[in-house]
Amino acid sequence: MKLTQTLSMGCIAIAAAISASCTPPKQQTAELAWNEQAVENARMQIGIEIDTIEASGKVLNPVTLTSEGDVYYCNYADWRSGFFPGSVWYLYELTQDSTVLPLARKYTEALYEAKNLTWHHDIGFIINCSYGNGLRLAQVPAYKEVMIDAAKSLCTRFREKPGIIQSWDVKGNSWQSERGWECPVIIDNMMNLELLFEATKLSGDSTYYNIAVEHADRTLQEQFREDGSCYHVIDYSLADGSVRHRHTAQGASHESAWSRGQAWAIYAYSMCYRETGNPKYIEQALKTFRFMKNHKQMPADLIPYWDMDAPDIPNAPRDASSAAVIASALYEISTYNIQEAASYREYADRIMQSLASTTYTAKQGENGRFILMHSVGSIPHNAEVDMPLNYADYYYLEALKRKSDIEKEQ
C-alpha cells in the first residue's frame, strides 16, 4: 500500500516556528563555535524554505536557482530529489527539534514512486538520502521495504559482461548516444552502492552486496589514473565487457580532474571500506584525497575549482559541493583505525570553516534559501554555473553531523 502521511492543519505554523525559533540572541551567536553557528544558520535557512513550501500548499523539492534567479523545484524522478528531504532529516538530527519530524516524513514519502525507477542509476541518491535517513532516525517499518524495492530496481541496471551497473541509457538522439557510448559508467555511480549495502543488511540477501562489490572492483580497476585521480566516464562494451572509451561529460577534458568526480571517489571508496573492511578501498580513497590535497592548483581556502585543470584558473568558478562531499568523507575517515587519522579531521575542519564563512554561506533569506553559494553543476552543459545546489547543502549538513558525532565521543 502506498505510504501516506497526513499532516495537521498546523503544518505552516510548525514551519514558521522552526524558522522563528532558531535565531539566537546576538550575544549568544557570538559565543557559539563556528560549527554550532553553522547549525543555527542552517536551521534558520531551511526553516524559511519550509515556510515557503508549506505556504504553497504543495510538496515542493528545491534543487537550485534558474538563470532568472527563481528556485527550481524537481519531481521525484530527478536524481537530486532525495537531497532536500535528507537535509531536513539531518536538521532534525543536528537540532533534535521534533517539529521537523512530520515535515521530514512528508517530504520523504512524496518520493515513494522513485523506488520503481529503472531508467537511471541514481535511485541510490534519491532513496538512501531520504528513506535511508528516515529509517535510521524514525524507524518507520515501511521504509525498509522501500529501500529493498529500490535496490531491486537499481540491480536491473547491472551488466554481467563488464560487471558494472550502467549509469545512463544510450538511446535515440540523446547527447549520450552522440558521444558514441554503448554502456557509460560514471564515477558518481559509486555513491549509489550504499543503497545496495543497506539492502543486504535489511533483507539478508547477499545479492545486493555482491553486485556492489563487483561494481566497486571493476571501477577501481578501470576508472583511476596512476596519480590517484579518476576519469568521469568509462564506456564499456556490452558484448565482451572491454573498455571502449575513457571520457568526461562534466569535466574540462577527458584527461582533466573534474573536482566533484574526485570527491565522489573519496567518499564512495571510504564508504565501501566501512561496509566491507577491504583495505584496498580506503587505500584508493586516500590516494585520491592526497591527489586533491597536494594539487598545485588547490586554493588556500581548500574549496576546489570546478575542475583542477580548468583553463581559466585562478578565475575559474569554485565548487562548494565538491568541498562539502570531501569534508564529509574525511570526517568519517578520521574515525577509522588508520595512520594519522586526526589529520583528516583537521583538514575537514579547515574546509568546513571556509564553507561556513560569509564567502560561501549565504545571508539568511537570500540565495534562494539554500545554505551554500558557489557550486557548479556542469560547465560543459552550461548548467548551474556558480549556483547553489541542494546536494552541496546535504553533504555540508552531513559533515556537520559527523563532526558533532566525533566531538560527542571525545
Side-chain angles (χ1 to χ4, degrees):
M1 184 173 73
K2 182 173 180 178
L3 296 173
T4 58
Q5 173 73 18
T6 303
L7 295 179
S8 70
M9 293 298 291
C11 203
I12 294 178
I14 290 173
I18 293 168
S19 60
S21 67
C22 64
T23 306
K26 291 183 178 179
Q27 184 178 358
Q28 180 183 352
T29 301
E31 296 172 355
L32 293 176
W34 66 264
N35 55 308
E36 295 171 326
Q37 178 57 35
V39 172
E40 289 300 322
N41 180 76
R43 185 175 181 174
M44 173 59 85
Q45 195 76 325
I46 294 175
I48 297 170
E49 179 57 36
I50 288 172
D51 265 350
T52 303
I53 294 170
E54 294 305 312
S56 75
K58 304 175 184 178
V59 178
L60 301 176
N61 197 322
V63 174
T64 186
L65 295 179
T66 68
S67 57
E68 292 77 28
D70 299 320
V71 176
Y72 172 72
Y73 298 100
C74 71
N75 65 24
Y76 74 87
D78 190 296
W79 77 273
R80 301 159 296 183
S81 65
F83 293 119
F84 181 72
S87 291
V88 179
W89 284 115
Y90 276 137
L91 181 65
Y92 164 70
E93 189 167 18
L94 284 162
T95 65
Q96 293 300 299
D97 185 346
S98 61
T99 62
V100 175
L101 277 174
L103 298 161
R105 288 190 60 170
K106 182 173 77 164
Y107 301 153
T108 291
E109 291 166 13
L111 306 180
Y112 179 76
E113 295 298 335
K115 72 187 183 74
N116 299 315
L117 291 173
T118 58
W119 56 268
H120 66 63
H121 64 289
D122 284 320
I123 190 171
F125 275 127
I126 297 171
I127 296 297
N128 201 49
C129 295
S130 56
Y131 280 92
N133 280 315
L135 182 60
R136 181 173 61 85
L137 293 171
Q139 299 296 309
V140 182
Y143 287 10
K144 173 181 174 180
E145 295 307 316
V146 174
M147 295 277 287
I148 295 170
D149 287 347
K152 290 177 182 176
S153 295
L154 181 56
C155 287
T156 66
R157 302 192 62 79
F158 182 71
R159 309 295 180 243
E160 290 190 7
K161 285 292 184 179
I164 51 81
I165 297 168
Q166 183 169 344
S167 297
W168 296 317
D169 288 341
V170 181
K171 294 181 178 179
N173 297 321
S174 66
W175 68 267
Q176 291 94 339
S177 62
E178 291 174 358
R179 301 290 179 96
W181 297 332
E182 184 174 298
C183 179
V185 175
I186 59 177
I187 192 65
D188 320 36
N189 206 347
M190 285 293 304
M191 298 290 286
N192 293 291
L193 301 186
E194 189 166 13
L195 173 67
L196 300 185
F197 287 123
E198 288 299 318
T200 284
K201 286 184 280 188
L202 292 171
S203 68
D205 186 345
S206 62
T207 301
Y208 311 111
Y209 179 102
N210 293 337
I211 287 177
V213 168
E214 190 165 354
H215 180 97
D217 286 350
R218 188 69 199 273
T219 299
L220 190 65
Q221 176 185 343
E222 306 293 357
Q223 205 114 6
F224 291 89
R225 306 181 184 98
E226 189 60 33
D227 62 8
S229 67
C230 65
Y231 291 93
H232 183 203
V233 184
I234 303 295
D235 177 39
Y236 293 94
S237 166
L238 289 171
D240 61 16
S242 62
V243 172
R244 302 176 70 246
H245 302 100
R246 288 183 170 88
H247 282 176
T248 194
Q250 291 168 253
S253 71
H254 294 326
E255 294 297 328
S256 71
W258 176 53
S259 292
R260 195 162 64 251
Q262 315 312 308
W264 293 143
I266 295 165
Y267 186 111
Y269 276 100
S270 62
M271 175 272 296
C272 287
Y273 174 68
R274 178 223 305 155
E275 297 296 334
T276 68
N278 193 321
K280 67 183 180 182
Y281 296 144
I282 192 62
E283 289 168 5
Q284 184 60 64
L286 294 179
K287 187 175 182 180
T288 304
F289 166 64
R290 286 191 293 269
F291 167 83
M292 291 294 284
K293 176 185 177 183
N294 298 325
H295 200 288
K296 63 182 180 180
Q297 305 281 28
M298 178 61 76
D301 66 1
L302 308 185
I303 310 304
Y305 297 102
W306 72 278
D307 189 299
M308 299 306 286
D309 300 299
D312 52 344
I313 290 173
N315 298 317
R318 304 292 191 88
D319 183 25
S321 73
S322 298
V325 172
I326 292 171
S328 184
L330 292 178
Y331 280 130
E332 177 162 12
I333 289 170
S334 76
T335 67
Y336 297 161
N337 184 23
I338 58 176
Q339 291 184 346
E340 301 180 341
S343 68
Y344 301 107
R345 182 173 70 250
E346 292 165 3
Y347 194 93
D349 280 344
R350 291 173 60 196
I351 294 174
M352 290 293 287
Q353 286 172 6
S354 291
L355 291 176
S357 73
T358 56
T359 303
Y360 295 97
T361 292
K363 293 180 181 179
Q364 291 173 358
E366 298 184 3
N367 195 44
R369 302 171 296 279
F370 295 95
I371 300 168
L372 296 179
M373 304 180 287
H374 306 312
S375 289
V376 173
S378 178
I379 281 184
H381 294 89
N382 193 30
E384 300 150 3
V385 178
D386 195 21
M387 290 287 189
L389 293 169
N390 66 355
Y391 48 93
D393 287 359
Y394 174 87
Y395 289 104
Y396 176 71
L397 290 167
E398 182 179 75
L400 288 170
K401 177 261 180 184
R402 288 178 170 180
K403 178 176 174 59
S404 176
D405 288 348
I406 290 168
E407 291 179 345
K408 289 176 183 176
E409 294 176 1
Q410 289 179 336

